Amino acid sequence: MSKTKKIKTAVGVADRTDPYYALGSSRVESDKFWRWGDDNLFPAALALMARRSTTHRRIINDKADYISGKGFTCDEAQQPQLAAFVRCVNGRGESLRQVLGKLAFDKSLFGNAFLEAVTDPGHTFLSLYHQDASRCRVARDSKHVLLHHDWAAFKPAEARSLPLYPDFEAQEDGTLRSIVHYKDYEPMFEHYGLPAYIAGLNVSAIAYKTDQWNISRLDNSFQLSGIMVLDGDVDNEQDAYDIISAAEKRFAGKPGQVMFMVKNTEETDNSKFVPIASANEGDWKLLHDQATSDIVVAHSWFRSLSGLDYTTGFNAERILHEYEIALNTLILGEQQELLEPIRTVIERCLHCEASSLQVI
């Protein structure tokens, strides 16, 4: 069940440091918003996981690239205005392909994506802006989206409010603005979607941790872990700690590899190293391989499209076959879902037919 957090209604004064120069009114229309996760920082956790797990990130990148394609095609001879708009959709000089690529990336990563549409009362122009999904939250009235640059340090005066499409609202700069919220359906989640790979979060963490284990072994030059017993005659416990700290700083390598002990020994018993043998390297490799396979399954993706089967040889026929399946089961569907609101906004604001607009 979603939880809500009360915020005070406030009006922020725009200035030159305004991080939302592409946005409109600084007034927060609602005093509540729906939390995205128990701590409202679920997008930050998803983004961090995508930066840590190699296979997981590769699949997200590939999905976004396949969905956004090479660009767009339309009937330029009959619709020169549409062709010009496709080449430049906003004041930042971005093309429609660039904006769609960001939307596809957010949709693959978060299961949610946000597109801002800007026009004027006379519909003399149209601009489309991608808004970072991690900065967006649905207002408690479910009719607006609140935007803030850092939800971990939320300040109502810095928030912005935009109406959910198809509603447009007038802003202080004279423009009309709206925001489209794309979300993947998930039962019991009304206000936000969940990414397709939600069942694979744990295996993504396993793949990351097994990689970290290999890195720690490399940092230790693949030396054995163990206990180093130092022969030392100390008068108090602090002297023992000082000896251990100096030894750890110089010889321990990765923290946790070697544990040092200081004790008074007999003349026949000198300093010695007691190794801790481990024969589970094969288990770690199997665990990593299984986690990698489960990540692909959780994404509803294919191994050959993730670069995982190249070690056994490049099989062009299998890659083409799996791409054909991905095209008809995932890519085309995602393209149409992202494009439908864009076509509608173009026809509504630019008054030109957009049915010929297709992804290459």
Side-chain angles (χ1 to χ4, degrees):
M1 180 181 295
S2 300
K3 299 181 180 179
T4 60
K5 178 179 178 181
K6 295 183 178 179
I7 60 174
K8 296 180 179 179
T9 302
V11 177
V13 179
D15 56 28
R16 295 180 182 178
T17 61
D18 186 358
Y20 296 101
Y21 63 91
L23 301 180
S25 173
S26 59
R27 180 179 296 275
V28 177
E29 302 293 346
S30 174
D31 64 347
K32 298 179 180 180
F33 62 89
W34 292 101
R35 289 192 179 188
W36 196 344
D38 292 339
D39 60 356
N40 196 38
L41 296 177
F42 186 54
L46 294 179
L48 181 62
M49 182 62 66
R51 296 186 187 105
R52 288 181 168 181
S53 178
T54 53
T55 304
H56 178 50
R57 182 56 180 261
R58 166 70 187 268
I59 294 174
I60 292 173
N61 290 342
D62 285 352
K63 278 187 174 180
D65 288 340
Y66 284 128
I67 292 169
S68 58
K70 296 181 179 179
F72 286 85
T73 180
C74 64
D75 190 352
E76 297 190 25
Q78 300 294 326
Q79 299 165 323
Q81 183 183 13
L82 178 60
F85 178 75
V86 167
R87 290 191 291 269
C88 182
V89 297
N90 57 44
R92 300 172 185 168
E94 293 179 307
S95 67
L96 185 57
R97 195 267 179 193
Q98 289 175 297
V99 172
L100 188 72
K102 294 176 182 179
L103 292 174
F105 184 87
D106 277 1
K107 188 92 167 9
S108 299
L109 175 57
F110 301 115
N112 296 259
F114 295 85
L115 174 70
E116 181 188 4
V118 185
T119 186
D120 63 352
H123 296 319
T124 60
F125 77 95
L126 173 65
S127 294
L128 299 178
Y129 292 93
H130 158 264
Q131 292 296 342
D132 184 350
S134 66
R135 297 182 176 183
C136 301
R137 298 295 186 273
V138 177
R140 186 62 176 81
D141 62 6
S142 298
K143 296 180 180 180
H144 293 79
V145 170
L146 304 182
L147 297 101
H148 191 271
H149 65 283
D150 184 6
W151 285 96
F154 177 72
K155 296 180 181 179
E158 297 175 349
R160 299 291 183 270
S161 174
L162 290 176
L164 276 169
Y165 183 81
D167 294 333
F168 281 79
E169 290 183 1
Q171 309 296 322
E172 295 175 355
D173 60 0
T175 61
L176 298 177
R177 295 173 186 257
S178 179
I179 190 164
V180 179
H181 181 192
Y182 302 94
K183 58 182 179 181
D184 287 334
Y185 169 75
E186 179 72 18
M188 301 174 63
F189 288 81
E190 179 181 356
H191 305 288
Y192 303 99
L194 284 182
Y197 62 84
I198 188 66
L201 285 181
N202 288 335
V203 292
S204 295
I206 290 173
Y208 162 71
K209 290 178 179 179
T210 52
D211 284 338
Q212 287 297 106
W213 179 72
N214 284 328
I215 291 174
S216 66
R217 294 179 68 216
L218 184 63
D219 290 340
N220 292 327
S221 301
F222 292 92
Q223 296 174 0
L224 289 175
S225 298
I227 301 173
M228 185 68 191
V229 182
L230 301 176
D231 180 11
D233 187 5
V234 294
D235 296 329
N236 54 64
E237 189 173 343
Q238 183 60 44
D239 290 342
Y241 278 125
D242 292 340
I243 294 174
I244 291 175
S245 298
E248 285 181 340
K249 184 177 181 180
R250 185 169 183 179
F251 301 110
K254 193 74 174 177
Q257 182 203 11
V258 179
M259 182 175 72
F260 289 85
M261 297 178 61
V262 176
K263 72 173 186 176
N264 295 328
T265 59
E266 300 177 359
E267 294 183 359
T268 58
D269 190 11
N270 298 319
S271 298
K272 60 183 179 181
F273 177 72
V274 181
I276 299 176
S278 176
N280 61 354
E281 291 186 10
D283 295 338
W284 277 92
K285 186 178 185 305
L286 291 174
L287 180 64
H288 181 82
D289 292 342
Q290 181 63 46
T292 299
S293 297
D294 288 345
I295 291 172
V296 178
V297 173
H299 274 279
S300 302
W301 203 235
F302 302 91
R303 290 185 62 89
S304 65
L305 300 182
S306 308
L308 295 177
D309 286 337
Y310 293 162
T311 54
T312 59
F314 185 86
N315 190 328
E317 184 177 348
R318 178 179 178 181
I319 293 174
L320 290 174
H321 175 69
E322 292 191 346
Y323 173 75
E324 195 68 26
I325 298 175
L327 180 67
N328 290 283
T329 59
L330 187 146
I331 297 172
L332 291 178
E334 288 290 323
Q335 288 176 347
Q336 293 306 312
E337 182 179 353
L338 293 175
L339 276 180
E340 283 177 7
I342 294 176
R343 291 194 188 100
T344 304
V345 170
I346 291 174
E347 292 176 354
R348 177 178 176 180
C349 297
L350 294 183
H351 306 292
C352 64
E353 178 64 35
S355 60
S356 66
L357 185 65
Q358 296 292 338
V359 177
I360 302 175

